[in-house]
Amino acid sequence: MNNRYRLLIETEDKKGLIHQITGAILKRDLNIEQNNEFVEKRHNRFFMRADLSGEPNGSLLEDLTNLLSADRIIRLVPKQKKRVIIMVTKEHHCLGDLLLRYKYGELDIDILAVISNYDHLRSLTESFNVPYHFIGCENADRAAHENKVLEIINSYECEYIVLAKYMRILTPDFVERYKDKIINIHHSFLPAFIGANPYRQAYDRGVKIIGATAHFVNNNLDEGPIIAQSVLSVNHTHDAEDMARAGKDVEKQTLARALRLVCDDRVFIYKNKTIIFE
Amino acid sequence: MNNRYRLLIETEDKKGLIHQITGAILKRDLNIEQNNEFVEKRHNRFFMRADLSGEPNGSLLEDLTNLLSADRIIRLVPKQKKRVIIMVTKEHHCLGDLLLRYKYGELDIDILAVISNYDHLRSLTESFNVPYHFIGCENADRAAHENKVLEIINSYECEYIVLAKYMRILTPDFVERYKDKIINIHHSFLPAFIGANPYRQAYDRGVKIIGATAHFVNNNLDEGPIIAQSVLSVNHTHDAEDMARAGKDVEKQTLARALRLVCDDRVFIYKNKTIIFE
Amino acid sequence: MNNRYRLLIETEDKKGLIHQITGAILKRDLNIEQNNEFVEKRHNRFFMRADLSGEPNGSLLEDLTNLLSADRIIRLVPKQKKRVIIMVTKEHHCLGDLLLRYKYGELDIDILAVISNYDHLRSLTESFNVPYHFIGCENADRAAHENKVLEIINSYECEYIVLAKYMRILTPDFVERYKDKIINIHHSFLPAFIGANPYRQAYDRGVKIIGATAHFVNNNLDEGPIIAQSVLSVNHTHDAEDMARAGKDVEKQTLARALRLVCDDRVFIYKNKTIIFE
Amino acid sequence: MNNRYRLLIETEDKKGLIHQITGAILKRDLNIEQNNEFVEKRHNRFFMRADLSGEPNGSLLEDLTNLLSADRIIRLVPKQKKRVIIMVTKEHHCLGDLLLRYKYGELDIDILAVISNYDHLRSLTESFNVPYHFIGCENADRAAHENKVLEIINSYECEYIVLAKYMRILTPDFVERYKDKIINIHHSFLPAFIGANPYRQAYDRGVKIIGATAHFVNNNLDEGPIIAQSVLSVNHTHDAEDMARAGKDVEKQTLARALRLVCDDRVFIYKNKTIIFE
């Protein structure tokens, strides 16, 4: 499998574009095994994800760079596990699910480490042979705490940071540094119930469906590009605690699904929304 | 079937309550064919819906009134079609669906009339032999327009008013007059995207799921008790118009479902939420 | 819109194929507005659906025919309404739904006529200004009855025949004549509950989910290529009649969804399965 | 919580039944906190599940026994964790999910032990401090193997046996011994695709939805009373292996859901079907 790559392109759409791109691929004697394209009409933007067989090299990127307009993103990504750091607070359900999937190769991730502002999930994490870093935030100000977190993160070479029920808000600096690299699971069907205690809010409003949202994090709370959402029916017999309990299953499924999409290089971010080739 | 009634009770919970109520039913030689109960623990409130066979009469209500605490609602409802007026603007999908269900007895409703602020849906309505009242709002102020609407409504004896995509906001007076009797279909998964153009809002936010909400109308826009909600997956290939088109199917299904629940006397309203015995 | 076409290709996969095809399109000065491709690995089979702008003509087909291997299907389909005949027995729900969608242009279909072995749905059909042909089957043998049906069908130029709860089994001759052109809605989640009375079968088995299946008809009962399936939760309070009633909503939604996919030329049939570009 | 019990009754329905039962409860000075009833009309059978507060004792059972007809089941069940043994083969996903839920108290179960015909899942199991019994079946006949399994089971006092992807068929003797006590997860939407390789069967048939079924085991393969079913959409891009992978998530969710219902004493078995108070 090591000789297989994915080609990811975002560029201005124009007549003959696919022909040009596939010509460049053919010229390097590569084959397209599976291909997805999408044109966003409003901004005339072209997106493409191609599974290549053969051995692509820098020449392909060079050729494509010459072909396409200046305003473009071209990436050649090896099909291999994404290197991930997970951040948690006290809740176990998303972490436990990800650790199991990691252990058995259900997701194409390497979990490099778990970082938490509590020590609660150490034994769970370590039973999967994953390093656990407890960085308390009790007597630390936000910046000082984050600096310690960053120090840990920097000691690994991670590609994505997964907030698997990490209940502290990150500073704009932190978010900016890992732009498009932080994935969060929010325990509501965004944009309903932004902010704290969404299950309490849902209970108070008397909704009949609750949900979870996996999204990239940007600097506006819970307003980053949405990757995946799922829902669950509830009724009058559920109080806020029942909803929270039931919601956990949806949260972990939604986060795992989002992570699978990201790890398979299926997710493009464009203008605070996602284009996802499923 | 005419000799079958539903007994609907809302009252303070207390020890021995079911025994008392069922004793009163037995005393009048009635049988409980199917029974649902719920206790809302937070406010110690008891709800019951019982299908009775036999011929209940006023004595049962009298007995129950004497048994229960002063703060209670007791209703004995005949199992028969609810008398409904439908209000629409220009969109046909909810109206068409309800007219079909009415014609073939799929819902226990009698559609007495359709009222609209446009004349667009006359031929559809009249092809089902239902009176259509067009009350234009072009040069009328809100109160004057509503007075004409009320005049029409008052000329029928209706039990419920169904807003099947009626796009004008009702005055507080109107709503108050038909408290707990107006059912609206809102084209979003409330409380997300309250107000105008929810599909445009959903598109702009890049959500992966859209929905519809059927609810009773109270005086705060889109904030009345929710009866039913349904959702639909969307993705980056859907623009706002696609979402609106796809959403129509969810809207009409959700409204029909809500109406079925209401017509079967399954819905209790309590503290701006619903208790629904499904 | 009349100057827009869809190009549909099924052929053997080979290196450089997309480049060749898009080259032919470019040569005729056409633009690809949206494109979907799929390679079925097991049989090395390539499928493509492209929305073209510009004015394609026979030369494009000729060029493509020369390019591709002998075992291929190439179609250039104008984006216009499909001409459809609907066959029904007594049940109204699918027919009513399709007539409403036809009247308001929700589906890209022209309903040319409705044919039934009963006269029950005449008034519904005619109120939408669609011809209704009642061909009784009481004293006719299967072949004689079908001959009369075929006579009616032949008097129209239809592209698809939709069995919207047509409860008679078609002869192999009939099916063969309209190969890949007959769409049926079956009231179960196939392959569960093949044959008669699926809701009774579902009730007897005590399933917790029921469904509907829209599929092309081939000569083995309920075994043709599946286009769309949907499901609905049920429980112990539903008897077979409740399931049948609830199932109607799923049936009509599933049939409409399948028909939309077919009308948008999104469905390829290959080895008794469907490839659907959604 | 130790002073709380559930009263579970199955008996012949008759006029005044609820009044009688609630009278017996009231006589012992108990309160009904939440109550569910259902009457199966076809066989005139009454089912009831009541949450009681207060301290019930044998006298209540005695009173109820005297009140009800001879053909009845009356159980007074303490609200406490169910004692469960899990049987697995090689697949980890259901077991891992249940172990996590057990560790964190998400399900009211005590996992007493895991028994497997392979040694694969030992480290996973033991990392949760649960005993693991490997009983190979390579050179053992079915009866001899089962006898060893039974020996292990008998060394615990278990209330339920959960087949969490246990891929051997149990003998009628084994099943009979634990009648209504064995819960299986089957990797298809039963009754579709009974037997081996359901995902291969689903792929070959080209279905658009796959599912999982949790059911009690009786002596006819995959034909016991169904507790819970869930489904998942698939399409032409999924081969049988993709379906199997995607199906794992549905399997573990469905099994966990079924187990929750059973542990909460919500499931009655009647005539090879379940009545479930949700």
Side-chain angles (χ1 to χ4, degrees):
Chain A
M1 286 301 210
N2 251 354
N3 68 335
R4 293 178 69 187
Y5 280 76
R6 290 192 189 102
L7 178 65
L8 308 174
I9 295 176
E10 177 200 324
T11 188
E12 191 186 347
D13 191 30
K14 60 179 180 185
K15 189 182 277 192
L17 182 61
I18 302 174
H19 187 61
Q20 281 190 311
I21 293 170
T22 54
I25 293 168
L26 189 62
K27 179 181 161 196
R28 296 296 165 185
D29 203 30
L30 302 168
N31 190 28
I32 296 173
E33 300 213 337
Q34 208 64 259
N35 192 28
N36 290 104
E37 299 141 21
F38 175 68
V39 180
E40 208 270 352
K41 296 286 179 195
R42 185 168 302 213
H43 303 92
N44 196 40
R45 204 77 191 155
F46 173 90
F47 299 85
M48 175 169 165
R49 174 189 183 274
D51 267 356
L52 302 181
S53 62
E55 195 57 68
N57 55 34
S59 311
L60 174 62
L61 288 183
E62 208 175 297
D63 294 354
L64 288 170
T65 302
N66 292 333
L67 278 176
L68 303 180
S69 70
D71 174 22
R72 38 83 183 110
I73 301 167
I74 310 171
R75 297 171 59 211
L76 194 58
V77 181
K79 281 190 180 177
Q80 62 190 27
K81 292 184 178 178
K82 304 292 188 232
R83 297 168 59 84
V84 164
I85 284 176
I86 297 179
M87 293 178 68
V88 294
T89 293
K90 289 180 184 170
E91 287 175 279
H92 70 281
H93 55 287
C94 289
L95 177 62
D97 186 66
L98 293 179
L99 287 168
L100 273 175
R101 292 178 190 273
Y102 160 61
K103 177 184 174 87
Y104 289 101
E106 283 184 55
L107 280 175
D108 276 340
I109 54 171
D110 266 335
I111 300 180
L112 308 178
V114 172
I115 301 174
S116 178
N117 51 336
Y118 283 86
D119 209 31
H120 293 52
L121 299 169
R122 178 181 297 279
S123 77
L124 174 66
T125 303
E126 291 181 348
S127 74
F128 287 87
N129 296 316
V130 171
Y132 188 87
H133 302 274
F134 161 42
I135 308 190
C137 53
E138 295 265 324
N139 298 311
D141 69 5
R142 189 175 299 273
H145 180 258
E146 265 192 10
N147 279 337
K148 288 190 200 159
V149 169
L150 279 171
E151 215 170 279
I152 303 290
I153 293 176
N154 289 335
S155 72
Y156 297 93
E157 286 176 51
C158 84
E159 295 169 280
Y160 290 98
I161 296 168
V162 177
L163 308 183
K165 304 293 287 181
Y166 183 68
M167 306 309 280
R168 279 174 71 84
I169 294 171
L170 300 169
T171 65
D173 272 5
F174 188 106
V175 171
E176 183 56 35
R177 189 183 298 228
Y178 295 98
K179 193 170 145 49
D180 299 349
K181 296 297 177 196
I182 307 174
I183 296 163
N184 184 46
I185 180 70
H186 182 78
H187 42 315
S188 91
F189 182 74
L190 288 175
F193 311 130
I194 286 177
N197 278 327
Y199 292 120
R200 167 61 53 189
Q201 293 181 59
Y203 172 77
D204 288 342
R205 180 62 187 90
V207 293
K208 300 300 184 186
I209 294 178
I210 58 173
T213 303
H215 62 99
F216 290 106
V217 176
N218 68 12
N219 273 327
N220 296 317
L221 181 63
D222 303 336
E223 295 192 357
I226 293 171
I227 307 167
Q229 300 189 290
S230 306
V231 295
L232 180 70
S233 290
V234 291
N235 61 39
H236 62 276
T237 67
H238 296 82
D239 59 25
E241 291 68 38
D242 295 328
M243 289 185 189
R245 183 188 55 67
K248 284 179 182 177
D249 280 0
V250 176
E251 291 168 23
K252 71 186 191 191
Q253 295 156 23
T254 307
L255 179 57
R257 187 152 62 87
L259 211 48
R260 178 183 311 282
L261 294 168
V262 169
C263 290
D264 288 354
D265 303 304
R266 296 182 179 278
V267 184
F268 291 74
I269 299 175
Y270 184 65
K271 294 194 176 290
N272 207 44
K273 298 201 268 190
T274 57
I275 287 146
I276 302 183
F277 292 123
E278 275 188 277
Chain B
M1 285 301 212
N2 251 355
N3 67 334
R4 292 177 70 188
Y5 279 76
R6 290 190 190 102
L7 177 64
L8 309 173
I9 296 176
E10 177 199 326
T11 188
E12 192 185 345
D13 192 30
K14 60 179 181 185
K15 189 181 278 189
L17 182 61
I18 302 174
H19 186 62
Q20 281 189 312
I21 293 171
T22 53
I25 292 168
L26 189 63
K27 179 180 160 197
R28 295 297 164 186
D29 203 30
L30 302 168
N31 189 29
I32 296 174
E33 300 213 338
Q34 208 62 258
N35 190 29
N36 289 104
E37 299 141 21
F38 176 66
V39 179
E40 209 269 352
K41 295 287 181 197
R42 186 167 302 213
H43 303 91
N44 197 41
R45 203 76 190 155
F46 173 90
F47 299 85
M48 175 170 165
R49 174 189 183 272
D51 267 357
L52 302 182
S53 62
E55 195 57 66
N57 55 34
S59 310
L60 174 63
L61 289 183
E62 206 175 298
D63 293 354
L64 288 170
T65 302
N66 292 334
L67 279 177
L68 304 179
S69 70
D71 174 21
R72 37 85 185 108
I73 301 167
I74 309 170
R75 297 172 59 212
L76 193 59
V77 182
K79 282 191 177 177
Q80 63 190 27
K81 294 184 176 177
K82 303 293 189 232
R83 297 168 58 85
V84 164
I85 284 176
I86 298 179
M87 294 179 68
V88 294
T89 294
K90 289 180 183 171
E91 287 175 278
H92 70 281
H93 54 289
C94 289
L95 177 61
D97 187 65
L98 293 180
L99 287 168
L100 273 174
R101 290 178 192 273
Y102 160 60
K103 177 184 173 85
Y104 288 101
E106 283 185 53
L107 280 176
D108 278 339
I109 53 171
D110 266 335
I111 300 181
L112 308 178
V114 172
I115 301 174
S116 178
N117 51 336
Y118 283 86
D119 208 31
H120 293 50
L121 299 170
R122 177 182 296 280
S123 77
L124 174 65
T125 303
E126 290 180 349
S127 75
F128 287 86
N129 296 316
V130 171
Y132 188 86
H133 302 275
F134 161 41
I135 308 189
C137 53
E138 296 265 324
N139 296 311
D141 69 6
R142 189 174 300 274
H145 181 259
E146 264 192 11
N147 279 337
K148 286 191 200 158
V149 170
L150 279 172
E151 216 170 281
I152 302 292
I153 293 176
N154 289 335
S155 72
Y156 296 93
E157 285 176 53
C158 84
E159 294 170 281
Y160 290 98
I161 296 168
V162 177
L163 307 182
K165 304 293 284 180
Y166 182 69
M167 306 310 278
R168 280 173 71 84
I169 293 172
L170 300 169
T171 64
D173 272 3
F174 188 105
V175 171
E176 183 57 34
R177 190 183 297 229
Y178 295 98
K179 193 168 147 50
D180 299 349
K181 296 297 177 195
I182 307 175
I183 297 164
N184 183 46
I185 180 71
H186 182 79
H187 42 315
S188 93
F189 182 74
L190 288 176
F193 311 130
I194 285 176
N197 277 327
Y199 292 120
R200 166 60 52 188
Q201 293 182 58
Y203 172 78
D204 289 342
R205 180 63 187 89
V207 292
K208 300 300 183 187
I209 294 178
I210 57 172
T213 303
H215 62 98
F216 291 105
V217 176
N218 67 12
N219 273 328
N220 296 317
L221 183 62
D222 302 337
E223 295 192 357
I226 293 171
I227 307 168
Q229 299 190 291
S230 306
V231 296
L232 181 70
S233 290
V234 292
N235 61 40
H236 62 276
T237 68
H238 296 82
D239 59 25
E241 290 69 36
D242 295 328
M243 288 185 188
R245 183 186 56 65
K248 284 179 183 177
D249 280 0
V250 176
E251 291 167 24
K252 72 186 188 190
Q253 294 156 24
T254 308
L255 180 56
R257 188 151 61 88
L259 211 47
R260 179 184 309 284
L261 293 169
V262 169
C263 290
D264 288 355
D265 303 305
R266 295 182 180 279
V267 183
F268 291 74
I269 301 175
Y270 184 65
K271 293 193 176 289
N272 207 44
K273 299 202 269 190
T274 57
I275 287 148
I276 302 184
F277 293 121
E278 273 187 280
Chain C
M1 284 302 211
N2 251 354
N3 68 334
R4 293 178 69 187
Y5 280 75
R6 290 191 188 102
L7 178 64
L8 309 173
I9 295 177
E10 177 199 326
T11 187
E12 192 186 346
D13 192 29
K14 61 179 179 184
K15 189 181 279 193
L17 182 61
I18 303 175
H19 187 61
Q20 281 190 311
I21 293 171
T22 54
I25 292 168
L26 189 62
K27 180 181 160 197
R28 296 296 165 186
D29 203 30
L30 302 168
N31 190 27
I32 297 174
E33 301 212 338
Q34 208 62 258
N35 191 28
N36 290 104
E37 299 142 21
F38 175 68
V39 179
E40 208 269 352
K41 295 287 178 194
R42 184 167 304 212
H43 304 91
N44 197 40
R45 204 75 191 157
F46 174 90
F47 299 85
M48 175 171 165
R49 174 189 183 274
D51 267 355
L52 302 181
S53 62
E55 195 57 68
N57 56 33
S59 311
L60 174 62
L61 288 183
E62 208 175 298
D63 294 354
L64 288 170
T65 302
N66 293 333
L67 279 176
L68 303 179
S69 70
D71 174 21
R72 38 86 183 107
I73 301 167
I74 309 170
R75 297 171 58 211
L76 194 59
V77 182
K79 281 190 179 178
Q80 62 190 27
K81 293 184 178 180
K82 304 293 188 230
R83 298 167 58 83
V84 165
I85 284 175
I86 298 179
M87 294 178 68
V88 294
T89 294
K90 289 180 185 172
E91 286 174 279
H92 70 280
H93 55 288
C94 288
L95 177 61
D97 186 65
L98 293 179
L99 288 167
L100 273 174
R101 291 178 190 273
Y102 160 60
K103 177 183 173 86
Y104 289 101
E106 282 184 55
L107 280 175
D108 278 339
I109 53 171
D110 266 335
I111 300 181
L112 308 178
V114 172
I115 300 174
S116 177
N117 52 336
Y118 284 85
D119 208 29
H120 293 51
L121 299 170
R122 177 180 296 281
S123 77
L124 174 67
T125 302
E126 292 182 348
S127 74
F128 286 88
N129 295 316
V130 170
Y132 188 87
H133 302 275
F134 160 41
I135 309 191
C137 53
E138 295 265 325
N139 298 309
D141 69 7
R142 188 173 301 273
H145 181 259
E146 264 192 10
N147 279 338
K148 288 190 199 158
V149 169
L150 278 171
E151 216 170 280
I152 302 291
I153 293 176
N154 288 336
S155 71
Y156 297 93
E157 284 176 53
C158 83
E159 294 170 281
Y160 290 98
I161 296 168
V162 177
L163 308 182
K165 305 292 287 181
Y166 182 68
M167 306 310 279
R168 279 173 72 84
I169 294 172
L170 300 169
T171 65
D173 271 5
F174 188 106
V175 171
E176 184 57 34
R177 190 183 297 228
Y178 295 98
K179 193 169 146 51
D180 299 348
K181 296 297 177 196
I182 307 174
I183 296 163
N184 183 46
I185 180 71
H186 182 77
H187 42 315
S188 91
F189 182 73
L190 289 175
F193 310 130
I194 287 177
N197 279 325
Y199 292 120
R200 165 62 51 189
Q201 292 181 58
Y203 172 77
D204 288 343
R205 180 62 187 90
V207 294
K208 299 301 183 186
I209 294 179
I210 57 172
T213 303
H215 61 99
F216 290 106
V217 176
N218 67 12
N219 273 327
N220 295 317
L221 181 61
D222 303 335
E223 294 191 359
I226 293 171
I227 307 168
Q229 299 190 290
S230 306
V231 295
L232 180 71
S233 290
V234 291
N235 61 39
H236 62 276
T237 68
H238 296 82
D239 59 25
E241 290 68 37
D242 295 328
M243 289 185 187
R245 183 186 55 67
K248 284 179 184 177
D249 280 359
V250 176
E251 291 168 22
K252 72 187 189 190
Q253 295 156 22
T254 308
L255 179 57
R257 187 151 63 87
L259 211 48
R260 178 183 311 281
L261 293 168
V262 169
C263 289
D264 288 354
D265 304 304
R266 296 182 179 278
V267 183
F268 291 74
I269 299 175
Y270 184 65
K271 293 194 176 290
N272 207 43
K273 298 201 269 191
T274 58
I275 287 146
I276 301 182
F277 292 122
E278 274 189 277
Chain D
M1 285 304 210
N2 251 354
N3 68 335
R4 293 177 70 186
Y5 280 76
R6 289 189 190 103
L7 177 65
L8 309 172
I9 295 176
E10 177 200 326
T11 188
E12 192 186 344
D13 191 29
K14 60 179 180 184
K15 190 181 279 191
L17 182 61
I18 303 174
H19 186 62
Q20 282 190 311
I21 294 171
T22 54
I25 293 168
L26 188 63
K27 179 181 161 196
R28 296 296 165 187
D29 204 30
L30 302 168
N31 190 27
I32 297 174
E33 300 213 338
Q34 209 62 260
N35 191 29
N36 289 104
E37 300 141 21
F38 175 67
V39 179
E40 209 268 353
K41 295 287 180 196
R42 185 167 302 212
H43 304 89
N44 196 41
R45 204 75 191 156
F46 173 90
F47 299 85
M48 175 170 166
R49 174 189 183 272
D51 267 356
L52 302 182
S53 62
E55 196 57 67
N57 55 33
S59 309
L60 174 62
L61 289 182
E62 207 176 297
D63 293 354
L64 287 169
T65 302
N66 292 333
L67 278 177
L68 304 180
S69 70
D71 174 21
R72 37 84 185 111
I73 301 168
I74 309 170
R75 296 172 59 211
L76 193 60
V77 181
K79 282 190 177 177
Q80 62 191 27
K81 293 184 176 178
K82 304 293 190 232
R83 297 168 59 84
V84 163
I85 284 176
I86 298 179
M87 294 179 68
V88 294
T89 293
K90 289 179 183 172
E91 286 175 279
H92 70 281
H93 55 287
C94 289
L95 177 61
D97 186 65
L98 293 180
L99 287 168
L100 274 174
R101 292 178 191 273
Y102 160 60
K103 178 184 172 85
Y104 289 101
E106 283 184 54
L107 280 176
D108 277 340
I109 53 171
D110 266 336
I111 300 181
L112 307 178
V114 172
I115 301 174
S116 177
N117 51 336
Y118 283 86
D119 208 30
H120 292 52
L121 299 170
R122 177 181 296 280
S123 78
L124 174 66
T125 302
E126 291 181 349
S127 75
F128 286 87
N129 296 316
V130 171
Y132 188 87
H133 302 274
F134 162 41
I135 308 190
C137 53
E138 296 265 323
N139 297 310
D141 69 6
R142 188 175 300 273
H145 180 258
E146 264 192 12
N147 280 336
K148 288 190 198 158
V149 170
L150 279 171
E151 217 171 280
I152 303 292
I153 293 176
N154 289 334
S155 72
Y156 297 93
E157 285 176 52
C158 84
E159 294 169 280
Y160 290 98
I161 296 168
V162 177
L163 308 182
K165 305 292 286 181
Y166 182 68
M167 306 310 279
R168 279 173 71 84
I169 293 172
L170 300 169
T171 64
D173 272 5
F174 188 106
V175 171
E176 183 57 34
R177 191 183 297 229
Y178 295 98
K179 193 169 147 49
D180 299 348
K181 296 297 177 195
I182 307 174
I183 296 164
N184 184 45
I185 180 71
H186 182 77
H187 42 316
S188 93
F189 182 74
L190 289 175
F193 310 130
I194 285 176
N197 279 326
Y199 292 120
R200 166 61 51 191
Q201 293 182 58
Y203 172 77
D204 289 342
R205 180 61 187 92
V207 293
K208 300 299 183 186
I209 294 178
I210 57 172
T213 304
H215 62 100
F216 290 105
V217 176
N218 66 12
N219 272 328
N220 296 317
L221 182 62
D222 302 336
E223 295 192 357
I226 293 171
I227 307 168
Q229 300 189 291
S230 306
V231 295
L232 181 70
S233 290
V234 293
N235 62 39
H236 61 277
T237 69
H238 296 82
D239 59 24
E241 290 69 36
D242 295 328
M243 289 185 188
R245 183 187 55 66
K248 283 179 183 176
D249 280 359
V250 176
E251 291 167 24
K252 72 186 189 191
Q253 295 156 23
T254 307
L255 180 57
R257 188 152 62 88
L259 211 47
R260 178 183 312 282
L261 293 169
V262 169
C263 290
D264 288 354
D265 304 304
R266 295 182 181 278
V267 184
F268 291 75
I269 300 175
Y270 184 65
K271 293 194 176 290
N272 207 44
K273 298 202 269 190
T274 57
I275 287 147
I276 302 183
F277 292 122
E278 274 188 279

